[in-house]
Amino acid sequence: MTRPARARINLPALQHNFNRVNQSAPASRVMAIIKANAYGHGLTRIAQALPRADAFGVACVSEAITLREAGFDRRIVLLEGPFAADELRLISGYHLDVVLHHREQLAMLEGVNLRRPLDVWLKLDTGMHRLGFEPSAVPEILARLDHIDYLGERRLMSHLACADAPEDDYTTNQVELFRNTVESLAGECSLANSAAVLAWPAAHFDWVRPGILLYGASPLLDTTAAALDLQPVMTLETALIAVNTHQKGARVGYGGDWVCPETMPVGIAAIGYGDGYPRHAPAGMPLLVNGKRAPLIGRVSMDMICVDLRGHPEAAIGDSVTLWGEGLPVDEVAASAGTIAYELLCRINSRVQFDYFE
Ligand SMILES: *Cc1c(COP(=O)(O)O)cnc(C)c1O
C-alpha cells in the first residue's frame, strides 16, 4: 500500500460553485481568485476547470508565470502588484495586469519604459486599511498615471474588510465610499470578494473576485456552505495504518497529553502536520472513520494522528479516514481548530497525493 493520504478534488463541484457566482452576480465579470496554489487545490488544474472565468487573480509573478507556461492566455491580475521594479519587464513580457496600491509602485512604473501597454487596477483603501490609496488621493494618482505613456487600460478596485458579517454597517460604508469615489471616473470597477458576491449585491460592480466560495467553503459567518448551495471541492482523506487497544490510564502520543479514560481502541491514521494538517488541532476535533464521526485524540505528529475508536469497534487497518470535505464541512473542522477554512485548505501540500475527478 502506498501512503494513503490524498486530496480528492471534485471539479464538477468547482463548476457548480462557479455557477453560483453567475447566479448571484449575473451582470458582473468574474476574476477567479486562485492565489496560494488555488487555495491549496492545485493552480493549473483549477484554472483549467474554470473555462468561463474572465480573469484569474494571483498573488505573485511566479504563480502567473506558471499559468502562462501552462498555456493560459486570459487576463491575469497580480493582486499586490509589483514587489520591486525589476519585476516589471517580466510582468510586461508575460502580459500580466498589475494592481497599484502604493506611491512606491507608481515610482517603479515611472522609472521604466515598457514596450507593451500595461493594464492597471488602481487599488483604493475604503476602510480595510491594509493596501490602497486614500480616495482623496485619486486625482493626484490619476494625473501621475496619465504621464506614463505605456499605460493600457485602467480599472479601480477596493477590498472589503467585514463582508462576511451580513448587514454590518462597515460594509455599507465601504460600498458607499467606493461608489462615490469611482462614480465620476472612467474605467471598470471591482469590489466584491466571495462574501459580497453572495450577500452584498450593491458591491458587485463590473468585476467580482470570488475565492473561497469557488472551493465550496462558506464565506459568511453563521451560514453553512450547504445552506448557500456550495459544494466541497477538496475531500482530504487517508486510512488507518494501525488499530491498537490501550489500557485505562495509557497516555497517547507525544507529551502523553491524552490519557485513555478506559480500556479502548485507538486508531492511527497516516496524515500529519508534514502534510499541512493543523498541528494545533485539539482533542475532540471531528474526523470520519468509514464515513462516521470519530474524535481526534493526542497531539498531531508530522505524519500521523490518533483517533478515538470507541464508537467504531469494527474499525480495521486500511479503513478510510476523512479529515474534511464530503460529509464533514471544512468550515466545521476549521472552527474546531480555531482557524478558518482558507488556512486549512491552502496549507495542504504536495506530499499529499492529489486526484482530480471530472
Ligand atoms: C484573496 C482575495 C479575494 C478573494 O477573497 P475570498 O474571501 O476568498 O473570496 C478577493 N480580492 C482580493 C484583493 C484578494 O486578495
Side-chain angles (χ1 to χ4, degrees):
M1 175 165 92
T2 54
R3 188 161 184 269
R6 60 181 205 145
R8 282 197 292 115
I9 306 294
N10 180 339
L11 296 173
L14 178 77
Q15 282 143 4
H16 168 89
N17 299 335
F18 185 90
N19 291 340
R20 293 283 295 117
V21 177
N22 287 148
Q23 286 163 4
S24 229
S28 303
R29 288 206 258 175
V30 182
M31 183 196 303
I33 304 298
I34 56 174
K35 62 196 181 193
N37 195 30
Y39 292 45
H41 292 66
L43 184 65
T44 53
R45 294 301 301 266
I46 293 299
Q48 269 157 14
L50 294 171
R52 289 186 300 109
D54 301 287
F56 295 119
V58 298
C60 55
V61 172
S62 64
E63 293 174 339
I65 291 179
T66 302
L67 291 171
R68 284 282 182 257
E69 309 231 296
F72 292 95
D73 54 11
R74 256 170 288 171
R75 186 178 293 285
I76 300 177
V77 183
L78 296 172
L79 293 170
E80 284 139 56
F83 295 101
D86 61 10
E87 284 190 322
L88 285 169
R89 302 226 165 265
L90 215 48
I91 286 170
S92 177
Y94 280 98
H95 211 284
L96 309 175
D97 287 21
V98 293
V99 166
L100 293 181
H101 62 79
H102 203 279
R103 285 178 182 76
E104 201 74 18
Q105 293 177 319
L106 270 182
M108 293 176 200
L109 259 58
E110 287 162 344
V112 294
N113 201 0
L114 302 175
R115 262 172 275 134
R116 271 205 257 193
L118 179 74
D119 292 349
V120 305
W121 299 65
L122 197 63
K123 184 155 186 176
L124 310 181
D125 178 10
T126 55
M128 174 86 172
H129 299 144
R130 192 176 59 180
L131 297 183
F133 296 101
E134 280 291 291
S136 61
V138 166
E140 169 217 328
I141 304 301
L142 292 182
R144 274 176 76 177
L145 284 177
D146 278 345
H147 286 101
I148 297 175
D149 37 325
Y150 59 82
L151 204 81
E153 297 164 8
R154 196 233 324 113
R155 296 181 173 79
L156 295 136
M157 66 181 285
S158 187
H159 197 49
L160 296 169
C162 305
D164 56 349
E167 292 160 38
D168 188 327
D169 281 349
Y170 205 81
T171 301
T172 318
N173 294 339
Q174 281 200 268
V175 173
E176 201 119 298
L177 178 54
F178 186 67
R179 183 180 299 284
N180 291 338
T181 309
V182 302
E183 217 159 35
S184 58
L185 301 173
E188 294 171 344
C189 297
S190 176
L191 182 58
N193 56 5
S194 295
V197 166
L198 296 176
W200 296 93
H204 287 170
F205 294 94
D206 304 296
W207 286 83
V208 292
R209 307 191 307 268
I212 194 71
L213 87 72
L214 296 173
Y215 310 100
S218 173
L220 300 176
L221 300 170
D222 304 327
T223 310
T224 63
L228 295 166
D229 188 22
L230 299 172
Q231 298 176 1
V233 175
M234 179 194 293
T235 297
L236 183 65
E237 353 176 274
T238 187
L240 293 176
I241 59 168
V243 175
N244 298 307
T245 299
H246 294 299
Q247 301 302 310
K248 178 176 179 178
R251 295 164 62 168
V252 175
Y254 282 119
D257 292 13
W258 203 83
V259 181
C260 294
E262 58 186 312
T263 297
M264 59 179 277
V266 172
I268 305 301
I271 197 151
Y273 63 80
D275 304 287
Y277 190 77
R279 197 184 86 90
H280 293 289
M285 182 145 118
L287 316 163
L288 304 179
V289 174
N290 293 324
K292 229 176 76 192
R293 279 175 187 252
L296 180 88
I297 56 176
R299 281 193 206 160
V300 172
S301 307
M302 188 182 289
D303 315 307
M304 287 173 270
I305 56 173
C306 311
V307 189
D308 177 346
L309 290 178
R310 280 177 290 176
H312 300 258
E314 72 304 331
I317 289 177
D319 285 1
S320 95
V321 176
T322 303
L323 294 318
W324 60 67
E326 279 159 40
L328 183 59
V330 65
D331 292 308
E332 182 188 337
V333 177
S336 84
T339 183
I340 52 176
Y342 298 73
E343 186 185 15
L344 291 187
L345 294 171
C346 81
R347 285 174 68 115
I348 293 306
N349 63 42
S350 60
R351 196 165 76 142
V352 172
Q353 183 186 315
F354 278 67
D355 294 329
Y356 292 84
F357 293 88
E358 315 248 335

